[in-house]
Amino acid sequence: MTGIDWREVARFGELACGSLQPVTVQRRTLPELVRLLRCDSGAIHLIDRRYRGRMATVTGAPVQMLLEFETIAGPTNPYFERSSTSRFPVHDALLHGRPADHLRSPVGRVLAGYGFEHCLFALLVAQGRPVGTATLARRAGRPRFTPQEQDLAHRLSRFLSIGLSNAAAYDQCAPGAVIMGRFGPDHDVDTVDLSGTARAGTAPSPGAHGTLTEREREVLALATDGLINAEIAAELGIAVNTVKQHLRHAFHKLGVRSRLEALRYLQQHT
């Protein structure tokens, strides 16, 4: 490994194993994964024994991209298949020798559609079984992942696997229980429930979109396009705290708790 302080790896381990709530583990570790591996975006999926997504945390990418990745996720995905066999992270330079081959693959096409070019995937395995996945991406024009970065991702993912496994074992009250957390608009890390089960709280009303103010619509549109709170503030010439307030109000009116849920609502009702 080059360019990385072992103390930072140890601090990442403390973050990953410092909570018994899966959502907290995901939200704390994802920004550090992105930073330490010099990426532009990332996502951590918590999965069940059937390899189905239960909870996803994403940062640095439009929430629409998460929806598209859900359609190509699972054991049939070449990244998943290769990483499952080797128990080691896989990146596009390893799976596809030529960049053109990667960009023609299902994963590459989704990434390219949102301005990303390179992908690193790690299957998170604890006690012999998959507990989640970590996917990291770099924008077009950035360098491909190196073997040294692949090795670093392996070391970090081992900490993350232990943290998620311990948290899930503690937090589940019954087999198949849905783990929920305190989501919302205050952070640029977005966590969403992928289980398809009913959510707690008020059900969205089909006409709720009409109750949004013009500014709330503007902020919500930029948020669902993938802009982080600071970028929305700069775009509209307002304070970051004002952005958070508008998002909170919009989420409350729509009966949603994340950017992805807001996007799904808008797709269905507008």
Side-chain angles (χ1 to χ4, degrees), residues 95-234:
L95 200 62
H96 303 282
R98 299 182 304 171
D101 293 336
H102 168 61
L103 294 177
R104 283 195 293 264
S105 71
V107 170
R109 286 197 297 269
V110 171
L111 289 172
Y114 293 93
F116 296 98
E117 189 170 11
H118 304 300
C119 178
L120 184 147
F121 175 92
L123 183 65
L124 307 176
V125 181
Q127 298 179 342
R129 70 176 184 88
V131 295
T133 64
T135 307
L136 300 155
R138 287 175 177 166
R139 292 198 175 276
R142 296 281 316 279
R144 303 177 94 177
F145 291 97
T146 66
Q148 292 77 18
E149 290 168 333
Q150 182 188 20
D151 182 62
L152 173 58
H154 176 60
R155 297 174 188 277
L156 297 176
S157 66
R158 291 176 69 181
F159 280 121
L160 182 54
S161 300
I162 295 170
L164 281 178
S165 178
N166 290 344
Y170 177 84
D171 208 56
Q172 288 185 22
C173 298
V178 178
I179 300 170
M180 300 300 291
R182 294 182 63 83
F183 313 153
D186 289 343
H187 305 280
D188 297 320
V189 178
D190 202 33
T191 303
V192 295
D193 175 20
L194 300 171
S195 66
T197 61
R199 297 172 175 82
T202 305
S205 167
H209 185 235
T211 67
L212 300 181
T213 66
E214 182 177 353
R215 181 62 92 186
E216 287 167 356
R217 291 172 187 267
E218 291 176 332
V219 170
L220 190 60
L222 293 173
T224 54
D225 279 342
L227 274 68
I228 63 175
N229 291 343
E231 291 171 333
I232 297 172

Side-chain angles (χ1 to χ4, degrees), residues 68-97 101-111 119-123 133-135 150:
E68 293 194 39
F69 265 114
E70 281 299 297
T71 66
I72 56 175
T76 59
N77 184 300
Y79 284 87
F80 195 110
E81 184 178 19
R82 180 74 172 267
S83 186
S84 179
T85 301
S86 66
R87 292 296 199 259
F88 211 75
V90 179
H91 53 88
D92 55 290
L94 185 67
L95 200 62
H96 303 282
D101 293 336
H102 168 61
L103 294 177
R104 283 195 293 264
S105 71
V107 170
R109 286 197 297 269
V110 171
L111 289 172
C119 178
L120 184 147
F121 175 92
L123 183 65
T133 64
T135 307
Q150 182 188 20

Side-chain angles (χ1 to χ4, degrees), residues 46-55 70:
L46 188 67
I47 59 176
D48 63 18
R49 293 177 182 270
R50 298 162 296 176
Y51 306 102
R52 294 180 182 174
R54 300 176 58 207
M55 192 73 60
E70 281 299 297

